[in-house]
Amino acid sequence: MGVPFSPVGTVAVLPSPAAILLDLLQIERADRDVRRQQRLVRAAKFPRPKRLEDFEFEKNPNVSAEVVADLKSPSWVREGRPLVMVGDSGTGKSHLLIGIGTAIAEAGLTVRYITAQALVNELAEAEAAKRLSSLMARYTKVDLLCLDDFGYASLDKKGAKLLFQIFTEREERKATAVATNSPFAEWDKTFGDRRLCAAIADRITFRCNLIQTGTESYRLQATCDERQSR
C-alpha cells in the first residue's frame, strides 16, 4: 500500500505505532468477547437457536415487549430473582426461555437449559451412582438455570424432593427461569405432596418476574393461516 496522496503544501499524517497497536488490541479484545459469548451459548445446551429479536409480539399481545426487553439485562440474574412463564402450549414460552437465556449468556453469565424431567432423571441417576453432591454443586453454581416443561409430567416423591433441593440451594443466590403449562393451582398434581409443592412454589415465586403467555396458540394459528394461504 502506498503513502496516501496529499496535495502540494500538505503533509500526510500516518498513524503512530501506539495508535496502530491500540487498534489491534481493540480488534483482538472484540474477537475474544465474541468467542466467549459463543462459548457460553454452546455451554447452555439450548435445543435449538431462538432469539428475542425473532419473537412475534404482535401475534401474542399477552407478552409485553418492554418486559421482555428488560429481561435481556443480567441485573435480575445477578440479584438471584426467579422468572416464571405460564401459558398453554404454542404461546411462545420455550422461545422466550431460550431467547432470554441466550441474551444472558451473551451478556457474559453462565446459563444452563434443561427440561424439568430431564433434570430430575439426571439427579436421580447421580444419587444412585453416589455423585449427587458434585452434580448438585454444578447446577447450583450456574448463574441462570432455565427449566422448560416444568409441571408437564408428574413426579414421584423422590424426584420432587431432588428438584426441591435444587431450588433451595439456588434460592436468592442464583436465578432460575421456569416455563410451565400448569397454573400455580395445579402444581400439586405434579408434585403429589401438598407441603412440598407449597415449598417449591414459594421458592420459585418469591420476588419473581412473571410472564403469562395466555391460552391461544399462535403457533397453531400460524399453521392454519399458512394452509389457508395455499
Side-chain angles (χ1 to χ4, degrees):
M1 182 182 296
V3 176
F5 171 78
S6 60
V8 176
T10 63
V11 177
V13 179
L14 298 176
S16 67
I20 295 173
L21 179 60
L22 179 60
D23 286 344
L24 291 173
L25 289 173
Q26 289 174 338
I27 292 171
E28 182 182 351
R29 179 176 180 180
D31 180 65
R32 187 167 60 246
D33 289 344
V34 169
R35 284 187 279 111
R36 183 167 186 266
Q37 288 178 344
Q38 293 171 339
R39 186 170 64 253
L40 287 169
V41 171
R42 286 196 302 271
K45 298 186 178 180
F46 297 118
R48 52 198 173 278
K50 293 288 183 181
R51 302 193 67 85
L52 294 177
E53 293 82 0
D54 300 323
F55 189 84
E56 298 176 290
F57 291 97
E58 69 280 0
K59 292 186 178 179
N60 191 343
N62 295 298
V63 180
S64 166
E66 291 76 15
V67 170
V68 172
D70 287 342
L71 293 171
K72 291 175 68 175
S73 166
S75 58
W76 65 278
V77 177
R78 292 194 175 102
E79 293 170 3
R81 296 179 60 188
L83 166 63
V84 179
M85 288 179 282
V86 185
D88 283 1
S89 178
T91 56
K93 298 184 305 299
S94 291
H95 187 145
L96 291 171
L97 185 66
I98 295 171
I100 290 170
T102 299
I104 297 303
E106 291 178 343
L109 301 185
T110 55
V111 180
R112 177 71 165 90
Y113 170 98
I114 192 170
T115 65
Q117 186 64 60
L119 175 59
V120 168
N121 291 344
E122 194 174 336
L123 292 170
E125 290 171 4
E127 184 179 44
K130 300 187 183 303
R131 51 180 181 82
L132 179 61
S133 58
S134 61
L135 182 64
M136 193 73 67
R138 191 189 315 161
Y139 278 107
T140 299
K141 288 191 294 185
V142 69
D143 294 315
L144 175 62
L145 177 61
C146 297
L147 280 182
D148 210 350
D149 295 337
F150 185 81
Y152 186 79
S154 298
L155 302 175
D156 59 21
K157 195 167 185 178
K158 178 181 178 181
K161 284 184 175 180
L162 289 169
L163 199 56
F164 171 72
Q165 192 172 344
I166 286 284
F167 290 127
T168 299
E169 293 291 333
R170 297 181 59 81
E171 184 181 13
E172 294 191 66
R173 295 187 297 113
K174 299 291 183 178
T176 302
V178 167
T180 178
N181 289 7
S182 303
F184 297 127
E186 296 180 7
W187 282 13
D188 59 334
K189 297 177 183 178
T190 299
F191 300 104
D193 187 313
R194 286 183 176 273
R195 288 186 178 180
L196 188 57
C197 174
I200 290 175
D202 180 66
R203 281 158 176 75
I204 295 177
T205 58
F206 179 63
R207 297 172 59 239
C208 82
N209 300 288
L210 176 63
I211 297 177
Q212 294 178 303
T213 58
T215 58
E216 296 184 11
S217 171
Y218 75 82
R219 187 166 57 201
L220 177 61
Q221 185 60 48
T223 302
C224 293
D225 292 344
E226 183 181 348
R227 289 177 178 174
Q228 290 175 0
S229 65
R230 291 175 181 174

